């Protein structure tokens, strides 16, 4: 049986966007769609003795442009701050996180973290419609494997997984 969209949880570190300490906030309430576009960069090559071409994946170019209905909460404050200050450079850098609820056991489970840039994209709406704001999120580095721990009151703590090479070098 297929799982519904609520199984995939997206988080954004909004603390970095407002100039404060790390604060992971769920991108759920107010968002009608959150779709990750990983934009795989592939290279295809076909040699004269090959019937079919071979493909190599060279990397990924993550992007998303989520649109959010205006809600009074911490996520909206971060979005409003961007639309008031129009940050550039390092002020746009933060982290995007994603985990699946089915991976969470006893409050902890697998979660990826990706450095991203976040910037204001559009805000407004038609007369009589709900006020909406869109932000542009683009990947800005390598995906990191880790675990997320969900604490009391909906707090989130992420920890990077050690790879076998670095774990062995600590002996």
């Amino acid at each position: 049986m297929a799982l519904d969209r609520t199984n995939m949880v997206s988080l954004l570190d909004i603390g970095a966007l407002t100039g404060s300490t790390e604060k992971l906030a769920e991108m759920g309430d107010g968002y009608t769609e959150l779709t990750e576009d990983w934009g795989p960069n592939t290279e295809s090559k076909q040699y004269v003795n090959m019937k079919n071409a071979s493909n190599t994946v060279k990397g990924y170019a993550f992007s998303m442009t989520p649109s959010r209905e205006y809600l009074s909460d911490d996520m909206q404050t971060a979005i409003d701050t961007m639309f008031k200050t129009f940050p550039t450079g390092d002020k746009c850098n933060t982290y995007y996180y994603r985990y699946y609820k089915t991976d969470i056991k006893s409050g902890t489970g697998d979660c990826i973290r990706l450095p991203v840039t976040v910037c204001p994209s559009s805000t407004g709406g038609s007369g009589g419609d709900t006020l909406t704001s869109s932000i542009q999120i683009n990947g800005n580095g390598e995906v990191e494997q880790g675990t997320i721990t969900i604490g009391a009151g909906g707090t989130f703590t992420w920890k990077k997984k050690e790879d076998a090479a670095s774990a062995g070098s600590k002996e």
Side-chain angles (χ1 to χ4, degrees):
M1 178 162 111
L3 297 176
D4 66 23
R5 175 60 180 81
T6 61
N7 187 54
M8 184 173 125
V9 179
S10 299
L11 307 169
L12 193 64
D13 179 359
I14 60 172
L17 298 174
T18 57
S20 63
T21 59
E22 177 182 83
K23 182 173 185 176
L24 306 186
E26 186 174 338
M27 299 174 72
D29 291 342
Y31 291 96
T32 55
E33 180 183 346
L34 281 170
T35 300
E36 299 174 352
D37 182 352
W38 286 93
N41 180 2
T42 61
E43 179 179 57
S44 179
K45 190 172 266 191
Q46 185 167 356
Y47 296 103
V48 293
N49 290 335
M50 293 174 67
K51 197 169 197 168
N52 297 306
S54 64
N55 287 296
T56 303
V57 178
K58 297 174 11 179
Y60 297 89
F62 176 85
S63 69
M64 65 189 320
T65 307
S67 186
R68 185 177 201 259
E69 294 176 349
Y70 197 97
L71 299 174
S72 294
D73 62 6
D74 291 340
M75 178 67 72
Q76 191 64 52
T77 300
I79 292 170
D80 288 349
T81 299
M82 287 188 287
F83 274 101
K84 292 174 187 173
T85 61
F86 295 94
T88 59
D90 288 344
K91 294 176 185 170
C92 297
N93 294 339
T94 191
Y95 287 97
Y96 171 78
Y97 303 78
R98 191 243 302 126
Y99 67 91
Y100 296 105
K101 289 179 182 175
T102 50
D103 290 339
I104 303 298
K105 308 292 185 237
S106 300
T108 300
D110 292 338
C111 179
I112 64 166
R113 177 173 85 165
L114 175 66
V116 295
T117 59
V118 180
C119 56
S121 181
S122 66
T123 189
S126 299
D129 285 351
T130 302
L131 177 61
T132 60
S133 299
S134 296
I135 55 177
Q136 180 65 46
I137 302 174
N138 292 308
N140 195 26
E142 297 290 324
V143 173
E144 298 174 286
Q145 302 294 321
T147 56
I148 194 86
T149 301
I150 305 167
T155 60
F156 302 95
T157 306
W158 186 85
K159 182 179 180 198
K160 184 175 181 172
K161 283 186 181 177
E162 291 187 38
D163 61 20
S166 65
S169 66
K170 291 184 178 182
E171 292 179 18

